[in-house]
Amino acid sequence: MTEPVVAPGRARGGRRDEILATFTRHVAERGYDRANFGDVATELGMSKGTIVHHFGTKDRMLAEVQERYMRRRLEEAHVLLSRLTAPEQRIAAFVHAGVRYSTEEPATTVAFQREVVRLTDEPGMETARAQRDAYRDLVVAVLRDGEADGVFVPGDARLRSLQMFGSLHWMWTWFDPAGRLPAQDVAAEFCRTLLRGLGVGEVAVAAAADPDGPVARCVAEVCAPRG
Amino acid sequence: MTEPVVAPGRARGGRRDEILATFTRHVAERGYDRANFGDVATELGMSKGTIVHHFGTKDRMLAEVQERYMRRRLEEAHVLLSRLTAPEQRIAAFVHAGVRYSTEEPATTVAFQREVVRLTDEPGMETARAQRDAYRDLVVAVLRDGEADGVFVPGDARLRSLQMFGSLHWMWTWFDPAGRLPAQDVAAEFCRTLLRGLGVGEVAVAAAADPDGPVARCVAEVCAPRG
DNA sequence: CTACTCTGCCCGTACGTGCGGTCAGTTCAC
DNA sequence: GTGAACTGACCGCACGTACGGGCAGAGTAG
């Protein structure tokens, strides 16, 4: 019925990635519970058994999606922190990067954001959870440093990080990567409101939020697709 | 095995609300897809058939949960807007109310927030979607008014409302109503960062964010449990 | 080169289970 | 009687996954 694109046995370890990508897209579109092996297999013209062969269980597959996503995010974050030093630029970079990902890799991003809650309780998600926590700790540290330096007004850094991540993680429910609204505009507006809210002066806010400014350019370089 | 609390046929029209409350809690804990009639029925010591008798389908049940939730939120919102007139107080009120709900009615709130995405596509959710949109429109209008009055610095009101709702709606993934952190503290910190980010002066920010201030008191009165 | 074995990728099928929803029938209030 | 509340048995299906086998290519002995 469905002819395989590649001759069987011919693919050099390649099917695995295809499966993961398709599965990721289905999770993004329908959520984990409604995503199923049958549909993924049909779409790729293969058998359900193949998926099981490569990944074992559905849980493991989701865990791998989450871990891959967070690994890249963490790598980016460290590079960004090494290139930018001012606290307000660092925070702006996290925001720009967070928004940017929604357009660069919408499927992976949405799949991750929809199913983050599974990181907290589900077993087998320890690695991904640790990665997520490490990422948030980076942001909290920047907030604390900025506070110590007098760049940010005093406040609860942890709550502020959650407020910030909330805005970004919620994007999957309303943002359309193919829509009219450019992601840059979202990033700029989010940056402005957030940085001003942290007590950063208007000049620094404008520079850090600018889609064509140094921070956004730095993020664009670091977060190039297929890093 | 499980003895019914009330003799069958004896309940005076009351079981329906019990069912909805239990279902809501299950949705909050596990998500809609994993919540099922069997567990709800067992917990209430009744048959699955009873649930079907009252609600028809699972979809309808979720729709009713969403509609009830949004109806109360909208009623509150209108009262709050009638009692508070300053834009920064109105925005602060929305934040205080949003956070407050997480502790007053955690199950309903989480159930709603987890499954908001179904409002966008799923059929049968038109009413709830309209309510949600109406609610957001109220906030957008306040943001625009405040901008026109010069209380808020110019910016994209729609994006700002989404930034704000993101922070609040994401709470279900990390906030524990029974935990150490008081909801008031969250509301206060969120208010401060947001209002400052909108360009409100420090004095007005402090007053509007204060958990014991006039705005928070007004919200506490309006959003009393079992309104 | 030939013949063989081994191995990893992949297929198709079948099984078990869990769940949403149906239905005929009973009980009880009015 | 009438109708609403409720029951318990049952259906059909969707889905995760276990299993047995097929097939191509690499390695290896002769």
Side-chain angles (χ1 to χ4, degrees):
Chain A
M1 175 168 275
T2 49
E3 80 275 37
V5 181
V6 185
R10 180 65 197 73
R12 6 112 263 201
R15 292 291 227 178
R16 216 189 114 98
D17 286 351
E18 267 181 280
I19 295 170
L20 204 62
T22 305
F23 176 72
T24 302
R25 211 185 60 248
H26 284 215
V27 170
E29 287 166 3
R30 315 176 200 173
Y32 175 77
D33 288 321
R34 288 203 169 8
N36 61 298
F37 287 180
D39 290 347
V40 173
T42 304
E43 190 176 316
L44 292 172
M46 65 175 60
S47 157
K48 282 200 290 181
T50 306
I51 300 179
V52 176
H53 166 74
H54 281 293
F55 296 94
T57 68
K58 204 181 165 188
D59 309 337
R60 299 278 296 268
M61 231 169 137
L62 181 65
E64 192 161 331
V65 171
Q66 309 280 58
E67 288 165 20
R68 283 190 179 205
Y69 177 81
M70 277 315 302
R71 192 159 53 77
R72 269 179 293 179
R73 298 296 308 250
L74 276 169
E75 284 169 6
E76 283 170 21
H78 283 113
V79 177
L80 288 172
L81 289 176
S82 73
R83 296 204 194 179
L84 300 166
T85 52
E88 79 276 7
Q89 288 192 322
R90 287 176 157 186
I91 292 297
F94 278 111
V95 175
H96 277 111
V99 172
R100 192 186 169 82
Y101 236 59
S102 296
T103 46
E104 293 297 343
E105 293 200 29
T108 324
T109 307
V110 172
F112 176 82
Q113 292 176 349
R114 272 190 99 123
E115 306 298 339
V116 201
V117 72
R118 296 183 197 273
L119 298 184
T120 49
D121 30 30
E122 231 98 326
M125 293 287 190
E126 293 78 13
T127 309
R129 177 165 64 244
Q131 289 170 315
R132 196 264 317 254
D133 291 347
Y135 191 86
R136 212 192 49 205
D137 288 347
L138 290 177
V139 172
V140 171
V142 172
L143 288 169
R144 295 225 168 93
D145 289 347
E147 212 177 309
D149 294 350
V151 179
F152 303 148
V153 295
D156 187 321
R158 191 171 150 273
L159 281 179
R160 284 170 167 176
S161 77
L162 291 165
Q163 187 173 10
M164 171 179 146
F165 282 123
S167 305
L168 294 171
H169 282 169
W170 197 246
M171 278 185 67
W172 74 271
T173 64
W174 56 267
F175 183 73
D176 175 15
R180 304 269 174 109
L181 181 68
Q184 296 182 337
D185 293 5
V186 179
E189 188 66 46
F190 278 19
C191 272
R192 276 191 290 266
T193 310
L194 176 62
L195 292 179
R196 205 184 291 121
L198 292 172
V200 178
E202 284 301 324
V203 179
V205 166
D210 184 4
D212 302 315
V215 177
R217 275 208 313 274
C218 179
V219 170
E221 283 168 26
V222 173
C223 307
R226 291 281 115 210
Chain B
M1 178 169 274
T2 48
E3 80 273 42
V5 181
V6 184
R10 180 65 197 74
R12 5 114 255 215
R15 292 289 226 177
R16 214 188 117 98
D17 285 352
E18 269 182 279
I19 296 170
L20 204 61
T22 304
F23 175 72
T24 302
R25 212 185 59 248
H26 284 217
V27 171
E29 287 165 3
R30 314 175 201 172
Y32 175 76
D33 287 322
R34 286 193 160 26
N36 61 304
F37 288 177
D39 290 348
V40 172
T42 305
E43 190 176 315
L44 292 172
M46 64 175 60
S47 154
K48 278 202 296 180
T50 306
I51 300 180
V52 176
H53 167 72
H54 281 293
F55 295 94
T57 69
K58 206 182 164 189
D59 310 336
R60 299 277 296 267
M61 232 168 137
L62 181 65
E64 192 161 332
V65 170
Q66 310 278 59
E67 287 166 20
R68 282 190 180 206
Y69 177 81
M70 278 315 303
R71 191 159 52 77
R72 269 180 293 178
R73 298 295 311 247
L74 275 169
E75 284 169 6
E76 283 170 22
H78 283 114
V79 177
L80 288 171
L81 289 176
S82 73
R83 297 205 195 180
L84 300 166
T85 52
E88 79 276 8
Q89 289 192 322
R90 288 178 156 183
I91 291 297
F94 278 111
V95 175
H96 277 111
V99 172
R100 191 186 170 84
Y101 237 57
S102 296
T103 48
E104 293 298 344
E105 293 201 28
T108 323
T109 306
V110 173
F112 176 82
Q113 292 176 348
R114 267 191 105 126
E115 306 297 340
V116 200
V117 73
R118 295 184 198 274
L119 297 185
T120 49
D121 30 30
E122 230 97 329
M125 292 287 191
E126 293 78 14
T127 309
R129 177 165 65 243
Q131 291 169 314
R132 198 265 315 257
D133 291 346
Y135 192 85
R136 214 192 49 206
D137 288 345
L138 290 178
V139 172
V140 171
V142 173
L143 288 168
R144 295 226 168 93
D145 290 346
E147 212 176 307
D149 294 351
V151 179
F152 303 148
V153 296
D156 187 321
R158 191 169 151 273
L159 281 178
R160 284 170 167 177
S161 77
L162 290 165
Q163 187 173 11
M164 171 180 147
F165 282 123
S167 305
L168 293 172
H169 282 169
W170 196 245
M171 279 186 66
W172 74 272
T173 65
W174 57 268
F175 182 73
D176 175 13
R180 304 271 175 108
L181 181 67
Q184 296 182 337
D185 293 7
V186 179
E189 187 67 45
F190 279 18
C191 271
R192 275 191 292 266
T193 310
L194 175 63
L195 292 179
R196 206 184 290 118
L198 293 174
V200 178
E202 284 300 324
V203 179
V205 167
D210 183 4
D212 302 316
V215 177
R217 276 207 313 275
C218 180
V219 171
E221 283 168 27
V222 173
C223 308
R226 289 284 115 209

